[in-house]
Amino acid sequence: MNEELTEERHHLETARAELARMRERTLALDVQGGDAVSSERLAENLWRRARSLEDDPTTALFFGRVDLDTEERWYVGRRHVTDDAGDPLVIDWRAPVSSTFYRASHADPMGVRLRRRFGYDHGQITAIEDEHLLDPAEPEAHSQILATEIERPRVGPMRDIVATIQPEQDALVRVDAATTVCIQGAPGTGKTAVGLHRAAWLLYAYRERLSRSGVLVIGPNDAFLEHIGAVLPTLGEVEVRHTSIEALTASVPVRAVDEPDVARLKGDARMAEVLHRAVWSHLVPPAEAMVVPRGSRRWRVPAYDIAPLADGLAGREIRYESARQLLPQRLAHAVLVKMEALGEYPDDRVQDAVARSAPVKAYAASLWPKVDARSLLHRLLSDPQVLAAAADGVLTGDEQRMLVWDKPSRTPGTAKWSLADTWLLDELGDLLERTPGLGHVVLDEAQDLSPMQLRAVGRRCSTGAATVLGDIAQGTTPWATASWVESLRHLGKPDGVVEELRRGFRVPASVIEFAARLLPEAAPGLAAPESVRDNPGRLDLVPVAGAELVGALVERVEEVRTREGSVGVIVPDARVGEVSTALTAAGIDHGTLGAGHGDVEHQVDVVPATVAKGLEFDHVLVLEPAEIAAAEPDERTGLRRLYVVLTRAVSDLTVVHAQPLPPALSA
């Protein structure tokens, strides 16, 4: 085995050298194109190519090997590497042949004679582990190298799973580009990592199409995006864009906060019908004839001839503004019909001239006035009569009164818009002009999105498919979904496939079993996740006196940070400043996540409870669970928030509290 280890290390050195050569050759290429635009495009493509060929000597360039019964041998890694002759030294994990590394088993070897996993330490091979899949005497066993990789401490609250993808995860990563897939996944099942790997795989498998139309990852907050942005390049992909759900619809500054009931109503799918009515109510039926002077003649088109033209445009599946732009041409055509009836022979140039004439433009504007999204929403939220005209029969009188501002601003420019208002403005924008679609959207933490937010995401993938990720038990908004079927309908993907991941590889058993005590009340009917790790992890409950609360937390942080790996200190939002000050006073270097802060350089991070979703740390300390739960607007949401917070740990969880734990946890 030592001899084989030496050979594998030599292969690694050779592969790294060839990867460096490939990058140098790419950087040396001449970027002279046929013109300036072509040269710029070529330079951009070469830059992306060079970035994808960057090597991180501290990570595994390849992590597995498959020997097939056809005597072929493939090394599976983060990117494709070839030698001077073009023969592959490393196969990209996204290549079809690589799926055998993830999915082959003794029951279904898929032509694999031997599967080899490599153990690494700081980029150097330190161990080899073999499975002989055609040997009936060899039992199916858990991989110790795989378990070590899953549990390996890291700095930064996000890790990639490219070396540890399980068969059920690999199957979801490689679903075809035309299929929308929704993945319900308990904490630690790797649903977020599956979504990121899927984005990278799609761009590999459908590069020509998706590199033009784009792949977008939408996450819950900026702290989350900070960390997935570091993961994607390690998967060999630099073309995936990412944004937060708030930034997706941000068209105005958010300077107000709605009451939960108001925000829930603004996120209700019925608001789409209200806004649709409000936009199209601007149409004015023609009451007078249109008269168009041209030369020595005046052409008259009666109102009863114009009405069908306007009605025809309004009845088509077309956006309001697009139809408004078409109307002058329709009116001009009606004039040309009159001309031809009297023996004239006008051509397209005459029609264009008539359409651009002042009388036609003015008449078209009187029937189809221009609408501005902000001005219209400002009127709806300021004037009860305007809202009633659009919402009659859709919203109740009480709901309409909830929506109208108590103290309306004078102009849209001075309005204090809320986050929920941005969803409505996005809907209005699409009613006026079609939102450009992308090739694929990966939507994480989808359980927290309102119907109107889902509609906004759906518009971005109306011409493509989506990967929807979430956990109903982790829904922490007043409008959190109770049904993925309903969410997919709002997304515009009713035919989407719902899959479930229940086997947890990240969260140890002691931690997930403790957190799962909340599920009967937080998410009745949802099955508890199952940890499949051999290491049960560690759970410490530390009750203290109220006056000693923060001091006891700091002492525990001092102790935990002596262990290798990242440390997440998750606290009630209101205590972030207090805890940060206490850590600083104790000389503990740390970062703070949330409110625009994202930091992967510190071992210790202070994390507001509302920012913890989607993140993971080797060691987690939670301060005052009862306070975290009580900060939410209702008991169910509070327990779900707490469930999220308690399931961020990869190795151990420490709970420091002065108040009694919620009854479900104390049971």
Side-chain angles (χ1 to χ4, degrees):
M1 208 56 158
N2 287 335
E3 206 172 290
E4 292 198 39
L5 188 61
T6 300
E7 291 179 5
E8 298 294 20
R9 286 171 175 166
H10 176 69
H11 187 83
L12 176 62
E13 291 174 4
T14 302
R16 288 200 187 282
E18 290 300 323
L19 179 63
R21 178 191 57 78
M22 291 168 64
R23 188 168 189 272
E24 289 170 4
R25 191 161 61 186
T26 298
L27 292 172
L29 290 174
D30 189 3
V31 295
Q32 296 298 321
D35 52 51
V37 174
S38 299
S39 296
E40 183 178 350
R41 179 64 62 85
L42 179 59
E44 181 182 348
N45 289 338
L46 290 175
W47 173 82
R48 283 201 297 267
R49 167 72 173 164
R51 274 204 64 193
S52 71
L53 293 172
E54 289 177 356
D55 184 24
D56 181 354
T58 65
T59 63
L61 180 57
F62 57 80
F63 42 80
R65 190 185 103 186
V66 288
D67 294 3
L68 305 181
D69 53 16
T70 59
E71 302 305 318
E72 291 178 291
R73 172 180 294 176
W74 306 110
Y75 287 82
V76 180
R78 297 178 181 279
R79 54 185 55 81
H80 193 75
V81 182
T82 61
D83 60 16
D84 273 330
D87 294 326
L89 298 175
V90 181
I91 297 293
D92 194 302
W93 67 271
R94 297 170 288 185
V97 70
S98 298
S99 64
T100 58
F101 173 76
Y102 297 115
R103 299 194 202 181
S105 65
H106 283 272
D108 181 13
M110 300 176 68
V112 176
R113 177 172 53 83
L114 177 141
R115 172 166 54 206
R116 172 169 287 178
R117 298 183 190 274
F118 299 99
Y120 278 82
D121 183 31
H122 296 89
Q124 295 300 313
I125 299 176
T126 56
I128 291 174
E129 184 180 79
D130 286 348
E131 292 176 84
H132 301 86
L133 300 184
L134 299 182
D135 183 355
E138 181 179 283
E140 197 93 49
H142 288 298
S143 166
Q144 189 56 48
I145 284 180
L146 187 147
T148 301
E149 175 63 21
I150 290 173
E151 299 171 18
R152 181 163 62 88
R154 310 186 186 192
V155 173
M158 176 59 69
R159 63 195 65 211
D160 72 82
I161 63 165
V162 67
T164 62
I165 292 175
Q166 299 299 298
E168 65 268 34
Q169 295 171 327
D170 185 66
L172 293 173
V173 166
R174 299 174 192 265
V175 173
D176 69 89
T179 300
T180 290
V181 59
C182 174
I183 303 173
Q184 157 66 37
T189 54
K191 59 183 176 298
T192 296
V194 166
L196 298 183
H197 286 70
R198 177 153 169 72
W201 178 81
L202 285 168
L203 272 168
Y204 176 90
Y206 302 91
R207 173 75 62 186
E208 185 175 347
R209 172 154 60 93
L210 291 182
S211 61
R212 293 195 306 267
S213 55
V215 174
L216 177 68
V217 176
I218 303 174
N221 52 52
D222 290 337
F224 173 80
L225 296 174
E226 180 86 14
H227 301 296
I228 69 165
V231 170
L232 286 166
T234 71
L235 306 180
E237 193 48 66
V238 295
E239 292 187 39
V240 179
R241 294 182 288 151
H242 44 83
T243 185
S244 68
I245 186 62
E246 294 185 5
L248 183 73
T249 58
S251 59
V252 292
V254 174
R255 299 189 296 161
V257 178
D258 288 317
E259 292 294 328
D261 286 347
V262 176
R264 185 187 293 110
L265 179 56
K266 288 181 177 179
D268 194 302
R270 292 176 296 161
M271 289 301 299
E273 174 62 21
V274 173
L275 298 179
H276 185 275
R277 287 186 183 184
V279 167
W280 289 92
S281 67
H282 286 78
L283 299 187
V284 179
E288 299 179 352
M290 178 181 69
V291 179
V292 181
R294 182 167 178 80
S296 60
R297 304 199 61 167
R298 292 163 61 87
W299 300 96
R300 182 178 183 278
V301 183
Y304 57 78
D305 282 346
I306 292 175
L309 302 179
D311 292 343
L313 283 175
R316 292 174 56 187
E317 291 293 328
I318 191 171
R319 298 305 194 269
Y320 181 92
E321 181 62 24
S322 298
R324 196 181 75 85
Q325 298 292 335
L326 286 174
L327 184 57
Q329 285 288 342
R330 295 293 181 92
L331 296 176
H333 181 73
V335 173
L336 262 65
V337 170
K338 298 288 185 183
M339 291 180 177
E340 290 171 348
L342 293 180
E344 296 192 18
Y345 299 97
D347 55 19
D348 290 345
R349 290 174 298 174
V350 174
Q351 180 169 324
D352 289 341
V354 172
R356 292 194 303 269
S357 67
V360 170
K361 290 171 65 176
Y363 192 87
S366 70
L367 303 183
W368 213 293
K370 188 171 181 61
V371 175
D372 176 74
R374 295 188 197 181
S375 297
L376 177 53
L377 186 58
H378 183 266
R379 290 199 304 275
L380 287 168
L381 300 182
S382 301
D383 190 331
Q385 293 183 337
V386 174
L387 179 59
D392 182 41
V394 180
L395 304 180
T396 67
D398 287 342
E399 289 174 328
Q400 293 176 37
R401 284 186 286 275
M402 286 172 56
L403 288 177
V404 176
W405 287 324
D406 292 332
K407 296 179 180 179
S409 61
R410 291 189 175 183
T411 66
T414 58
K416 291 185 177 180
W417 303 106
S418 69
L419 177 62
D421 292 332
T422 67
W423 316 335
L424 303 182
L425 288 170
D426 195 75
E427 182 83 22
L428 283 170
D430 187 68
L431 288 167
L432 297 174
E433 297 185 72
R434 186 180 297 277
T435 302
L438 296 163
H440 198 89
V441 169
V442 177
L443 174 62
D444 203 2
E445 303 297 348
Q447 76 279 347
D448 275 339
L449 271 58
S450 71
M452 292 300 285
Q453 285 178 301
L454 289 168
R455 288 176 61 88
V457 175
R459 287 191 280 276
R460 271 73 181 182
C461 56
S462 60
T463 56
T467 300
V468 182
L469 313 166
D471 179 10
I472 290 176
Q474 296 185 60
T476 51
T477 57
W479 45 81
T481 188
S483 164
W484 288 124
V485 172
E486 180 182 345
S487 294
L488 288 170
R489 181 169 56 81
H490 292 310
L491 192 69
K493 306 294 181 183
D495 297 329
V497 178
V498 180
E499 301 285 352
E500 184 175 9
L501 293 175
R502 285 189 56 194
R503 298 203 306 155
F505 304 92
R506 172 174 59 80
V507 187
S510 62
V511 174
I512 198 65
E513 288 170 6
F514 177 67
R517 297 177 186 177
L518 298 169
L519 288 180
E521 295 182 38
L526 200 65
E530 171 194 356
S531 177
V532 296
R533 286 172 47 178
D534 294 329
N535 183 352
R538 176 175 170 178
L539 171 67
D540 291 324
L541 305 180
V542 186
V544 298
E548 303 170 3
L549 186 64
V550 175
L553 176 71
V554 173
E555 289 179 10
R556 287 288 175 149
V557 174
E558 284 274 23
E559 175 191 337
V560 169
R561 72 182 181 130
T562 61
R563 307 170 194 167
E564 188 180 3
S566 58
V567 179
V569 184
I570 307 179
V571 304
D573 287 36
R575 290 185 180 266
V576 170
E578 176 188 4
V579 171
S580 179
T581 300
L583 291 173
T584 301
I588 299 175
D589 187 37
H590 64 281
T592 301
L593 301 185
H597 301 289
D599 196 342
V600 296
E601 301 301 325
H602 292 89
Q603 182 192 17
V604 179
D605 276 306
V606 177
V607 186
T610 57
V611 176
K613 188 173 294 183
L615 306 181
E616 62 184 59
F617 304 85
D618 295 293
H619 316 286
V620 170
L621 299 98
V622 175
L623 182 70
E624 206 61 279
E627 190 175 327
I628 289 173
E632 300 299 329
D634 57 72
E635 182 181 10
R636 187 201 72 165
T637 305
L639 294 178
R640 288 185 172 188
R641 178 72 68 190
L642 191 53
Y643 180 71
V644 171
V645 165
L646 295 175
T647 53
R648 301 302 97 201
V650 176
S651 296
D652 52 76
L653 170 67
T654 302
V655 178
V656 181
H657 65 102
Q659 298 180 36
L661 294 175
L665 290 178
S666 303

